[in-house]
């Protein structure tokens, strides 16, 4: 079993023989096969408008208030419109086409897929696409039905609509996947039932918008508009690069991220992966799965903050499932209790180390994910969730590390070994990031156990071990050490800033630990302001935590830079539709960037609601409604000319409120469900 080689790998690392340790790990400790399964495109739907080559006045837009895409254009004297939306309640995609004059709409429809194993059949008013994953277990069916006032004709592989005024395409799809242990679902039956129950276009549109706005309308942000705010998005990005005085673009970016999270992560679905759900390939970069050494977690940084708690649920379900597979890996790889997850997982909830030892043996992916459960509790104060979901999974992760951590013979500290500092430096003993995450995990378990009044002995053990874990250290260059030894390279500009986890999303390095705070800031300076898209997003959050709003705004400018080709390679930044460029497209930068902008405007990680903690000079005015803060609060507030004007707090859990603005802090008791109004001096007011 793999764990029998664990002590040998640890000994080699302790001796400084990294190369030999990696060889042993590659031969005896990695998962077989060393890759996981990719997230793949299902199929394509092609609409052919044969006489529309001379279209004019073309406009394509996405309405973030309704989650409906609209395409308008004119051909000769006829105006055409298409409305497209994906309905969560109906589990279908609607594509509605109209012409301004009767019988002027004609088009043909085809379905296809890039899968090698596929078939297409047509009926009177529907097309069916069957696909099967090559060398895999999944197979699926997609079916599109046409409703129209025109005439439908049928060929072997396509349908043609002629002389119509309007047509509605209703598409749904399903596979044989039930869960990671069960592929007995009947996709044909699922698709047939879904289409049978699909409402007509108008009703579906109404139900879709109602469902979407139930989430989307909880939160709003207003930032000033300027002349360039009315430009098309691609032109607006170009303008912002040279004249970054478009505050409303930041508000758009935040709301776009919320739309993307609502669209890609709803209860009953899979969590948002590296590309959310927007992948058109069979072999996407990094398999478009869940990379949990930063990317998956970043996808959910705005979830609780922007009042989209339900969108967190798919991630929690994945954690439940991976804790089951991870318990097997904990036993077989480490002879340890509890559960563990390394740097990647997939639909089948793989938990073992994959790819290569120099970056694949990283045992704290599960711990980081589990801390999202704790964040949910901090924001909601939901004791039932803590008792039934969060605490058991946190405890299982902590149990693993009570066995995994070992005493370093040189220092006497408990250290994490073997491991990595993602995704650089190779296989090492004692990376700082691991210790920051594990300390946070232990403290969350301690707090959870105390709240629930359970597991006294286990909590006592965690408290004792927490104090023995290798501490954060300051190196010879004034930097926060990334490694157990002082060997940081100040010329290293790697996209990962793993050792700054304790600043964000952690909180153990903060202004109340000034020496470490200064050292962490110096480390970020050494890394420079460059990076891939998601790396830039992480740095926005870090500069916000360093309370430097103007520097964070520089990072926002870098994140918003239009993607260009340089030496036949794409640069980092944003694509014309605001998708984040790693490159290629990765959605984590969209989510992380949105969270970072809001971190400039509110922070609550230190037990207080800190308003406008790092307000950039470029955002002198604004208003936010419905933003969430830890300890169970929802906050509305506004500011003018860089000064806070008014605040309304809704207490969700009746906890004591501690609120800060600039150098003033006030504390007062609250009642659940009651609103509290404060002025700019943080004085309570009877009336808003």
């Amino acid at each position: 079993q793999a764990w029998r080689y664990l002590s040998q790998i640890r000994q080699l690392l302790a001796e400084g023989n990294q190369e030999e340790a990696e060889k042993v790990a590659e031969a005896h400790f990695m998962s077989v096969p060393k890759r996981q399964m990719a997230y793949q495109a299902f199929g394509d739907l092609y609409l052919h408008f044969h006489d529309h080559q001379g279209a004019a006045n073309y406009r394509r837009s996405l309405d973030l208030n309704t989650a409906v895409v609209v395409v308008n254009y004119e051909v000769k004297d006829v105006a055409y419109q298409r409305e497209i939306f994906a309905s969560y309640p109906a589990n279908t995609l609607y594509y509605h086409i109209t012409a301004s004059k009767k019988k002027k709409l004609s088009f043909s429809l085809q379905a296809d897929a890039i899968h090698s194993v596929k078939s297409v059949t047509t009926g009177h008013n529907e097309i069916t696409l069957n696909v099967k994953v090559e060398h895999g277990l999944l197979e699926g069916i997609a079916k599109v039905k046409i409703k129209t006032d025109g005439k439908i004709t049928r060929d072997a592989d396509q349908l043609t609509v002629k002389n119509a005024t309007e047509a509605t395409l209703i598409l749904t799809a399903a596979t044989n996947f039930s869960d990671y242990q069960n592929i007995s679902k009947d996709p044909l039956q699922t698709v047939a039932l879904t289409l049978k129950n699909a409402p007509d276009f108008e009703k579906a549109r109404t139900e879709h918008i109602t469902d979407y706005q139930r989430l989307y309308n909880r939160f709003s942000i207003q930032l000033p508009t300027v002349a360039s705010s009315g430009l098309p998005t691609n032109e607006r990005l170009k303008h912002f690069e040279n004249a970054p005085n478009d505050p409303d673009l930041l508000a758009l970016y935040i709301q776009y991220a919320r739309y993307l999270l609502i669209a890609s992560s709803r209860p009953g679905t899979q969590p948002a992966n590296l590309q959310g759900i927007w992948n058109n390939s069979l072999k996407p970069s990094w398999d478009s799965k869940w990379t949990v050494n930063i990317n998956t977690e970043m996808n959910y940084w705005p979830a609780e903050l922007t009042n989209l708690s339900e969108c967190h649920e798919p991630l929690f379900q994945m954690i439940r499932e991976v804790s089951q597979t991870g318990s097997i890996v904990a036993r077989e790889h480490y002879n340890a209790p509890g559960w563990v997850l390394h740097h990647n997982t997939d639909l089948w909830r793989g938990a073992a180390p994959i790819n290569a030892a120099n970056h694949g043996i990283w045992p704290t992916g599960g711990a980081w994910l589990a801390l999202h459960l704790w964040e949910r509790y901090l924001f909601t104060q939901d004791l039932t969730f803590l008792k039934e979901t969060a605490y058991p999974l946190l405890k299982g992760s902590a149990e693993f590390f009570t066995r995994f951590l070992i005493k370093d013979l040189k220092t006497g500290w408990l250290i994490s070994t073997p491991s990595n500092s993602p995704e650089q430096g190779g296989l090492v003993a004692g990376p700082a990031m691991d210790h920051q995450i594990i300390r946070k995990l232990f403290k969350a378990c301690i707090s959870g156990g105390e709240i629930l009044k359970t597991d006294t002995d286990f909590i006592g053990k965690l408290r004792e071990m927490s104090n023995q874990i290798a501490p954060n250290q300051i190196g010879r260059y004034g930097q926060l050490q990334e490694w157990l030894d002082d060997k940081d390279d100040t010329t290293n500009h790697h996209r990962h800033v793993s050792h700054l986890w304790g600043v964000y999303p952690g909180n153990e390095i903060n202004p109340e630990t000034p020496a470490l705070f200064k050292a962490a800031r110096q480390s970020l300076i050494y890394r420079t302001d460059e990076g891939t898209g998601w790396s830039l997003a992480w740095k926005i959050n870090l500069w916000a935590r360093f309370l430097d709003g103007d520097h964070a705004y520089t990072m926002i400018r870098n994140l918003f830079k239009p993607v260009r080709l340089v030496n036949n390679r794409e640069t980092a930044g944003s694509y014309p539709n605001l998708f984040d460029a790693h490159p290629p497209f990765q959605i984590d930068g969209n989510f992380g960037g949105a969270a970072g902008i809001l971190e400039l405007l509110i922070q609550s990680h230190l037990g207080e609601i800190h308003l406008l903690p790092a307000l950039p000079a470029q955002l002198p005015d604004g208003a936010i409604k419905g933003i969430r803060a830890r300890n169970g609060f929802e906050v509305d507030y506004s500011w003018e000319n860089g000064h806070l004007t008014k605040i309304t707090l809704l207490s969700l859990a009746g906890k004591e409120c501690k609120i800060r603005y600039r150098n003033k802090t006030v504390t007062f008791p609250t009642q659940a469900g009651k609103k509290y109004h404060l002025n700019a001096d943080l004085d309570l007011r009877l009336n808003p």
Side-chain angles (χ1 to χ4, degrees), residues 9-174:
I9 296 167
R10 284 172 165 167
Q11 181 63 36
L12 289 167
L13 290 174
E15 295 169 354
N17 195 341
Q18 182 185 48
E19 184 177 350
E20 189 61 30
E22 290 178 356
K23 287 181 180 178
V24 174
E26 290 279 358
H28 303 291
F29 205 76
M30 304 300 292
S31 177
V32 178
K34 293 185 179 181
R35 294 192 67 85
Q36 293 170 341
M37 300 302 289
Y39 170 62
Q40 296 184 332
F42 195 114
D44 299 292
L45 196 62
Y46 294 97
L47 283 75
H48 303 280
F49 298 87
H50 301 289
D51 57 349
H52 289 198
Q53 291 85 350
N57 299 321
Y58 181 90
R59 177 182 173 87
R60 182 174 184 267
S61 62
L62 165 65
D63 185 347
L64 292 180
N65 292 308
T66 62
V68 175
V69 171
V70 178
V71 178
N72 295 100
Y73 61 92
E74 298 171 7
V75 177
K76 298 179 181 178
D77 58 346
V78 181
Y80 293 92
Q81 178 173 285
R82 310 177 199 170
E83 288 185 88
I84 308 104
F85 60 86
S87 168
Y88 177 72
N91 195 31
T92 51
L93 186 147
Y94 283 79
Y95 200 115
H96 184 63
I97 316 168
T98 60
S100 62
K101 294 187 176 182
K102 290 185 177 182
K103 298 185 178 183
K104 289 294 185 179
L105 175 63
S106 298
F107 64 94
S108 60
L109 180 70
Q110 287 180 301
D112 199 0
I114 52 178
H115 294 273
S116 59
V117 183
K118 62 185 176 183
S119 64
V120 177
T121 57
T122 60
H124 166 65
N125 67 337
E126 63 184 32
I127 297 179
T128 303
L129 170 67
N130 290 261
V131 299
K132 188 178 187 305
V133 174
E134 189 176 19
H135 310 303
L137 299 174
L138 292 186
E139 54 189 55
I141 293 174
K143 189 181 291 287
V144 59
K145 180 183 290 186
I146 302 178
K147 294 183 177 181
T148 181
D149 60 354
K151 181 181 179 181
I152 302 175
T153 58
R154 170 190 172 194
D155 294 321
D157 63 345
Q158 73 174 22
L159 298 178
T160 299
V161 175
K162 291 184 178 180
N163 302 324
T165 307
E166 64 177 333
T168 301
L169 314 181
I170 307 174
L171 181 146
T172 191

Side-chain angles (χ1 to χ4, degrees), residues 648-686:
T648 299
L649 290 160
L650 170 63
S651 176
L652 303 172
K655 298 292 184 178
E656 182 179 76
C657 179
K658 185 177 182 181
I659 187 165
R660 176 185 174 192
Y661 173 57
R662 293 184 174 172
N663 294 322
K664 185 174 182 179
T665 303
V666 299
T667 304
F668 56 92
T670 72
Q671 297 177 20
K674 186 175 179 181
K675 286 187 176 182
Y676 299 83
H677 307 285
L678 298 87
N679 62 19
D681 294 322
L682 305 186
D683 297 323
L684 282 168
R685 304 163 62 194
L686 294 177

Side-chain angles (χ1 to χ4, degrees), residues 431-590:
M433 185 191 205
D434 277 19
H435 301 146
Q436 293 167 2
I437 292 175
I438 296 167
R439 258 193 305 273
K440 179 76 172 179
L441 173 70
F442 282 10
K443 290 179 180 178
C445 274
I446 292 167
S447 296
E450 290 174 342
I451 292 166
L452 298 173
K453 296 180 173 57
T454 189
D455 292 329
T456 303
D457 292 343
F458 181 66
I459 296 306
K461 181 178 182 179
L462 294 184
R463 188 177 287 110
E464 180 182 356
M465 291 185 69
S466 290
N467 296 326
Q468 299 174 28
I469 297 173
N472 292 301
Q473 301 178 81
I474 300 173
R476 54 184 168 165
Y477 300 113
Q479 88 286 4
L480 186 73
Q481 286 184 203
E482 187 164 2
W483 323 97
L484 196 61
D485 298 322
D486 188 1
K487 59 180 184 180
D488 294 81
D489 178 2
T490 60
T491 65
N492 175 14
H493 302 159
H494 199 277
R495 64 189 180 277
H496 278 265
V497 286
S498 303
H499 56 310
L500 303 187
W501 189 96
V503 179
Y504 187 96
N507 65 353
E508 71 174 5
I509 300 173
N510 57 68
E512 297 173 9
T513 59
L516 291 173
F517 196 61
K518 180 181 179 182
R521 186 178 185 277
Q522 184 60 59
S523 286
L524 187 56
I525 292 171
Y526 285 139
R527 280 292 206 268
T528 77
D529 291 345
E530 301 303 316
T532 56
W534 65 261
S535 176
L536 297 172
W538 194 357
K539 290 175 181 179
I540 294 169
N541 285 274
L542 288 167
W543 281 113
R545 287 282 174 94
F546 288 130
L547 306 178
D548 192 338
D550 291 337
H551 200 139
Y553 201 86
T554 297
M555 304 310 304
I556 293 169
R557 291 185 63 183
N558 289 346
L559 180 63
F560 286 10
K561 281 184 180 178
V563 173
R564 293 184 174 86
L565 279 178
V566 177
N567 297 325
N568 292 321
R569 299 187 65 178
E570 289 183 332
T571 59
S574 294
Y575 291 104
N577 66 347
L578 288 184
F579 269 169
D580 167 69
H582 175 79
F585 160 57
Q586 280 189 200
I587 205 167
D588 37 29
N590 289 99

Side-chain angles (χ1 to χ4, degrees), residues 217-290:
N217 286 351
R218 293 174 183 170
F219 167 95
S220 67
I221 178 169
Q222 286 83 42
L223 297 174
T225 59
V226 294
S228 60
S229 301
L231 293 173
T233 306
N234 58 332
E235 295 178 25
R236 197 172 176 185
L237 282 174
K238 294 176 182 177
H239 189 274
F240 188 84
E241 182 178 17
N242 299 313
N245 60 339
D246 183 0
D248 183 61
L249 181 59
L250 278 65
L252 173 67
Y253 197 86
I254 291 166
Q255 291 289 42
Y256 183 54
R258 295 182 72 244
Y259 157 81
L260 293 174
L261 191 59
I262 293 170
S264 63
S265 184
R266 298 287 289 275
T269 73
Q270 294 296 318
N273 59 44
L274 277 175
Q275 293 178 307
I277 53 176
W278 292 274
N279 166 47
N280 62 351
S281 171
L282 297 184
K283 296 181 179 179
S285 298
W286 305 283
D287 295 327
S288 192
K289 50 186 188 295
W290 295 281

